[in-house]
Amino acid sequence: MIHMNARIVGIGTAAILVLIFFAVVVTPRYTNPMADQPSMNHRARTAIEESGRDLYISLGCQYCHSQYIRRIDWDTGAERIAQAGDYVGEYAPQLGSSRNGPDLSQQGGEHTDDWHAAHFYNPRYTRPESFMPPFSYLTGTELAGITAYLQSLGGHMADQRVARQWQWRGQATAAYEAGADANIEWLHRNVPEGWLRVPNPYPITEASFLRGEVIYQRHCLGCHGPVGDGQGPAVRFIYPPPLNFTTLNRHGIEGGATGGMLYYQIMNGITGTAMPYFKRELESEKIWDVSNYVAKQFIGIVDANTEPRGIDAAFEPVDSAPVQVRGN
Amino acid sequence: MNFLLPNEPGSAARRFFLSSAIWLLVGVIFGLIGAIEMVDPDLFPAHEHLTFGRMRPLHINILVFGFLMTAFFGGFLHVIPAVCRTKLISERLANFAVWFYNAIVVAALATLPFGLTQGREYAELIWGIDIAILAAVAVLIFLVFGTIARRTESLLYVSAWYIGGGLIWTFFVFAVGNVVWQAPHGSWMGIHDQILLWFYGHNVVGLVVTPQAIGLAYYIIPRATRTPIYSHSLSLIGFWMLIVMYTHTGTHHLLQAPVPQWLKVLSIVNSISLIVPVFAFLTNVWLPLKDRFSRVFRDVGAKMVFTGTIWYFIVCLQGPYHSLPSVQRVTHFTQWVIAHSHIALLGFGGFIAMGATYYILPIILKRDLYSRLLADFQYWLMLIGTLGIFLSLTFAGLIQGEAWLMGEVVYRVLPELKIYFVVRGIAGVMVVTGAVLFVINVLLTILRKTPPLPVEGSEAETEVAA
């Protein structure tokens, strides 16, 4: 029988612990040159971005937002799988262990600064289902810092996205300031020709209308407002402001289609403005449904199930005469 | 002097137990605030110090370093002299440790809500507090090993291995994990830091909480049931395998992150192997009870400690299982992990900490608990509460993980989680209520002036080792 004594317990186990520490912590540090080599995408941060990072750490953002994209991810930033060299030169990398919100490692350029301003003030303003805390108490300097940090996340790729946001923002602002008609004309001009000729291929049924309503409430209402007048709670932070659907009636394009245009703009977003793209979170049917909802409920131009319709989808009601829906 | 640093035997343990109960209540209240914020983020006014990102580290640090550690300290200040058949080397120094350690927890309370953090999970406390914790642990190491050195019992009982060894491991793991030589960041640079951080983070559970909890269970269950442990050899296997296996496992938190592949493989293999020390311990305390299981329920403290070992069984089957890469494809980043950590720290660590308080306090004070009924009521509140937190978050985690894997974005899944967060909040209310009862019971047990019980205590110490 082995007799244990204080020396074995204290020194013996400590010796094992130190050995294993060297094996599993120190060895990987000195045998993994890739982790000391900045990745192609890595760049150093500016002073204001660093101040934003300090705030990010201090506010505990990492408890809900991770900062590495895995091979199996589909969400924001999924275009780039994280590399060890992305974190070179960072104290306490904020990799995180929990995702109650999206991964932020490629957040830079995903949204405009004004979207972030509205979202920080109250995340529900732009994302009605979010349970992120409101950060309305941040000072202007703090908000600028943390926004700059978020826009820096993603290195060189983020810089390119941010530059693209600013480039389109110039055009979008000029168009808005040129007046309502010029704005709509600019928006139409930037929808690829083919989409302008595609009506919404799916009829509005009561069920699809209700689905469209739910999607509108979960994704659109913060900016475009419950009644589609562009007066959602986020509006006071956003410039150019969200589109007012209710006055678009007079902007129908001769021979053109509303359905395809709405679909394209929802899918792709309007880069440079606070309008994000929704192609990651809404699949095809959901975008068609919410397009029909917006067209019918707010705009008043419905081209659902009009020619050219192509082959009817198998699920469509055979008699696709317009169905009476709520609100009419 | 006699109030601040009394020399009366058991006074330091008693005070550690009382602090532990209070820190439990404080810690679970912060947890409940965080849980409510996840159901309704706009319920409380937008306020920096109340924000979820501040509540979360506060909740964890107060409960691990406030509640659990102080209860364990109180426990071993009684257990070590008992198994060594001697007196604590210095009751006054132990009482100094009470004040010093509580000042540390107050310092955590005074820094974390204000955003003073090193931004590393489980290692948030700022440099000065890190150093103070090391100093406090050093004092406790001196007390434990000083007492062991004066022992009159030649056989060193297994509780003392875990408690003494565990304190030394705590010192080392805490010092390197917090990178204390790298003030003020307390961090390495780049991805290396995360390997170090999870070596530390996992060992906060494995080498800081686990050995203390096991050490106390090894004392309390055999003593309360008057049943020796099953086998000395199994104790040895469990003890040595714990230090060898647990220390390798940290990287299983980073299986999907860009860290070396060999390290991931090593961490998975060792995570699976952890089943060996876990079952060695459980066999040792469970098997001898096979014909006398009802004895566990005689004492409410022993009942809680035994329940803690059941949680240990569950959490240590779940842990190796979800260190497998194929399981982590679903569970990583989800609430599943939060569920797991609740049964580790509240189920296993917490139940043993509360049970040790209820079991040892009457021995020190030589009088009964204030109310057994209250303690039983608390037991059920805590048990159902912990189970509620575990199940609701596990379901939420599975929903998240499966949805993400199928290409759903994080935002789209949020509405599906709400009901589980509501259930978790209700379970949290039960835990908070249990903590209130705990504080009342502990406080009144200490304050109550009743004549001491006739026997129990010093000379009635049973031979617990086989």
Side-chain angles (χ1 to χ4, degrees):
Chain A
M1 176 152 140
I2 304 161
H3 281 281
M4 296 281 279
N5 61 40
R7 202 169 302 155
I8 298 178
V9 166
I11 301 171
T13 58
I16 292 177
L17 177 56
V18 171
L19 271 177
I20 295 171
F21 172 73
F22 270 87
V24 299
V25 178
V26 180
T27 309
R29 175 168 180 173
Y30 293 104
T31 58
N32 184 17
M34 287 303 285
D36 297 310
Q37 198 71 37
S39 68
M40 295 290 282
N41 196 31
H42 179 276
R43 76 155 168 85
R45 274 188 249 286
T46 63
I48 181 169
E49 289 161 3
E50 278 300 331
S51 78
R53 182 171 193 270
D54 291 344
L55 191 59
Y56 182 95
I57 291 175
S58 153
L59 290 171
C61 307
Q62 66 155 324
Y63 301 107
C64 293
H65 293 285
S66 62
Q67 282 193 20
Y68 63 102
I69 293 292
R70 315 166 293 169
R71 293 177 169 278
I72 54 174
D73 281 330
W74 299 68
D75 202 344
T76 315
E79 301 319 318
R80 186 191 151 83
I81 297 162
Q83 296 175 9
D86 294 350
Y87 307 93
V88 170
E90 280 186 9
Y91 278 111
Q94 299 287 294
L95 262 64
S97 62
S98 194
R99 275 188 192 163
N100 295 321
D103 183 274
L104 296 180
S105 59
Q106 288 290 326
Q107 181 60 214
E110 278 278 324
H111 295 287
T112 52
D113 287 1
D114 56 348
W115 184 92
H116 280 297
H119 184 258
F120 271 119
Y121 189 85
N122 188 324
R124 261 72 56 208
Y125 284 7
T126 59
R127 302 295 252 164
E129 295 288 347
S130 164
F131 58 79
M132 176 168 144
F135 291 95
S136 45
Y137 49 80
L138 292 183
T139 65
T141 322
E142 287 172 336
L143 186 64
I146 198 159
T147 305
Y149 171 63
L150 288 180
Q151 300 289 27
S152 82
L153 285 172
H156 292 305
M157 290 165 76
D159 290 346
Q160 288 161 4
R161 289 192 294 265
V162 171
R164 189 167 51 204
Q165 289 277 12
W166 283 103
Q167 182 229 319
W168 282 103
R169 184 181 175 77
Q171 293 194 35
T173 310
Y176 173 73
E177 286 170 357
D181 293 334
N183 191 29
I184 300 301
E185 201 260 324
W186 178 80
L187 283 170
H188 288 178
R189 206 165 58 231
N190 284 294
V191 174
E193 177 64 21
W195 289 99
L196 289 172
R197 280 191 252 115
V198 180
N200 195 322
Y202 302 112
I204 302 182
T205 62
E206 185 172 9
S208 81
F209 186 83
L210 291 174
R211 289 197 300 269
E213 185 176 39
V214 168
I215 293 160
Y216 184 84
Q217 285 168 352
R218 288 185 177 173
H219 296 86
C220 320
L221 163 148
C223 296
H224 293 288
V227 292
D229 59 355
Q231 293 297 318
V235 69
R236 65 190 166 108
F237 299 91
I238 289 175
Y239 192 83
L243 208 54
N244 177 352
F245 298 130
T246 58
T247 56
L248 291 180
N249 202 305
R250 59 197 163 100
H251 295 289
I253 307 169
E254 196 153 341
T258 332
M261 189 162 61
L262 282 169
Y263 188 99
Y264 174 80
Q265 288 175 335
I266 294 167
M267 171 183 77
N268 200 56
I270 298 169
T271 306
T273 76
M275 172 72 184
Y277 63 87
F278 286 94
K279 78 180 181 70
R280 283 190 203 274
E281 45 206 87
L282 297 178
E283 315 85 312
S284 163
E285 184 181 21
K286 297 192 172 68
I287 303 185
W288 288 123
D289 284 349
V290 76
S291 301
N292 264 340
Y293 174 79
V294 169
K296 176 152 190 69
Q297 186 79 338
F298 303 135
I299 303 179
I301 305 175
V302 181
D303 57 8
N305 205 27
T306 55
E307 296 297 336
R309 336 176 350 163
I311 301 171
D312 290 328
F315 71 86
E316 284 179 34
V318 174
D319 174 17
S320 43
V323 174
Q324 281 300 310
V325 293
R326 223 162 38 145
N328 284 15
Chain B
M1 186 69 178
N2 266 343
F3 173 73
L4 277 179
L5 301 173
N7 206 10
E8 172 202 348
S11 55
R14 191 174 71 205
R15 288 178 177 192
F16 264 133
F17 283 136
L18 179 61
S19 351
S20 160
I22 293 168
W23 291 127
L24 169 65
L25 179 58
V26 173
V28 293
I29 287 174
F30 291 134
L32 183 61
I33 293 175
I36 293 170
E37 285 171 339
M38 288 177 82
V39 175
D40 186 350
D42 295 313
L43 185 65
F44 303 120
H47 198 279
E48 185 183 345
H49 309 125
L50 274 177
T51 202
F52 179 83
R54 299 271 171 86
M55 283 299 121
R56 161 74 206 255
L58 193 59
H59 168 63
I60 287 169
N61 280 279
I62 296 291
L63 286 176
V64 172
F65 297 108
F67 161 56
L68 288 179
M69 294 313 282
T70 46
F72 295 151
F73 295 161
F76 69 61
L77 287 180
H78 170 77
V79 169
I80 290 290
V83 300
C84 292
R85 292 184 194 279
T86 183
K87 280 173 113 175
L88 195 63
I89 183 168
S90 167
E91 194 71 39
R92 283 199 201 280
L93 186 62
N95 269 298
F96 167 75
V98 172
W99 292 109
F100 184 46
Y101 196 82
N102 276 300
I104 291 169
V105 186
V106 170
L109 195 60
T111 51
L112 289 173
F114 301 91
L116 296 166
T117 168
Q118 290 181 333
R120 296 166 81 239
E121 205 171 344
Y122 294 97
E124 286 95 351
L125 296 172
I126 55 174
W127 185 77
I129 301 179
D130 290 344
I131 297 295
I133 288 183
L134 287 176
V137 173
V139 170
L140 289 152
I141 288 176
F142 170 78
L143 285 167
V144 166
F145 281 88
T147 307
I148 291 177
R150 302 195 331 174
R151 71 184 194 271
T152 62
E153 163 66 56
S154 66
L155 195 72
L156 193 62
Y157 182 58
V158 56
S159 289
W161 317 345
Y162 277 106
I163 290 165
L167 278 178
I168 302 237
W169 310 337
T170 301
F171 189 90
F172 179 81
V173 164
F174 197 85
V176 299
N178 283 281
V179 205
V180 290
W181 59 92
Q182 197 71 266
H185 302 279
S187 149
W188 275 355
M189 273 194 179
I191 200 85
H192 305 302
D193 180 65
Q194 293 293 301
I195 296 173
L196 173 58
L197 175 69
W198 287 111
F199 168 82
Y200 162 78
H202 198 84
N203 283 326
V204 164
V205 184
L207 297 185
V208 176
V209 171
T210 300
Q212 304 300 339
I214 288 184
L216 294 177
Y218 256 134
Y219 175 81
I220 292 169
I221 293 178
R223 191 181 183 278
T225 57
R226 310 268 168 216
T227 310
I229 59 170
Y230 183 66
S231 149
H232 179 71
S233 306
L234 266 187
S235 312
L236 285 167
I237 291 170
F239 180 75
W240 290 103
M241 290 288 274
L242 183 78
I243 183 73
V244 174
M245 298 303 171
Y246 232 123
T247 35
H248 287 91
T249 56
T251 307
H252 71 207
H253 293 255
L254 297 168
L255 291 186
Q256 297 158 342
V259 302
Q261 195 70 21
W262 66 266
L263 200 55
K264 297 179 184 174
V265 174
L266 194 63
S267 74
I268 297 165
V269 171
N270 279 279
S271 303
I272 303 295
S273 318
L274 260 183
I275 289 176
V276 175
V278 170
F279 277 76
F281 160 69
L282 290 175
T283 308
N284 238 352
V285 295
W286 281 3
L287 200 56
L289 297 176
K290 63 181 192 300
D291 299 325
R292 42 193 103 166
F293 187 55
S294 61
R295 291 189 187 183
V296 169
F297 303 96
R298 284 184 197 157
D299 183 277
V300 67
K303 182 168 79 170
M304 282 188 176
V305 172
F306 189 84
T307 308
T309 64
I310 297 174
W311 282 119
Y312 188 55
F313 173 79
I314 297 169
V315 78
C316 288
L317 281 182
Q318 193 191 23
Y321 166 72
H322 70 208
S323 71
L324 296 169
S326 50
V327 179
Q328 277 205 19
R329 283 165 64 85
V330 177
T331 61
H332 196 62
F333 282 143
T334 71
Q335 296 291 324
W336 167 293
V337 185
I338 317 288
H340 176 73
S341 39
H342 275 89
I343 60 171
L345 292 171
L346 174 58
F348 164 55
F351 268 78
I352 292 187
M354 292 183 294
T357 307
Y358 276 153
Y359 185 75
I360 293 171
L361 210 49
I363 301 178
I364 298 173
L365 297 169
K366 301 189 180 65
R367 57 175 175 258
D368 275 334
L369 274 187
Y370 170 73
S371 166
R372 159 95 198 213
L373 183 71
L374 216 53
D376 271 322
F377 190 47
Q378 175 204 344
Y379 171 86
W380 286 108
L381 278 174
M382 287 283 191
L383 189 61
I384 297 169
T386 310
L387 205 60
I389 292 174
F390 172 59
L391 292 178
S392 59
L393 294 185
T394 298
F395 295 155
L398 288 171
I399 291 170
Q400 288 177 294
E402 295 289 0
W404 299 346
L405 206 53
M406 289 189 289
E408 207 60 274
V409 302
V410 170
Y411 178 71
R412 274 279 299 276
V413 187
L414 297 181
E416 311 305 319
L417 308 180
K418 187 147 268 176
I419 185 65
Y420 300 96
F421 287 150
V422 171
V423 172
R424 191 264 303 268
I426 294 168
V429 171
M430 297 178 80
V431 172
V432 171
T433 315
V436 172
L437 300 185
F438 189 50
V439 172
I440 293 173
N441 218 351
V442 168
L443 194 64
L444 292 183
T445 304
I446 292 174
L447 292 182
R448 184 164 74 135
K449 294 281 180 277
T450 48
L453 296 174
V455 264
E456 264 290 69
S458 51
E459 90 282 13
E461 210 58 68
T462 32
E463 178 55 69
V464 278

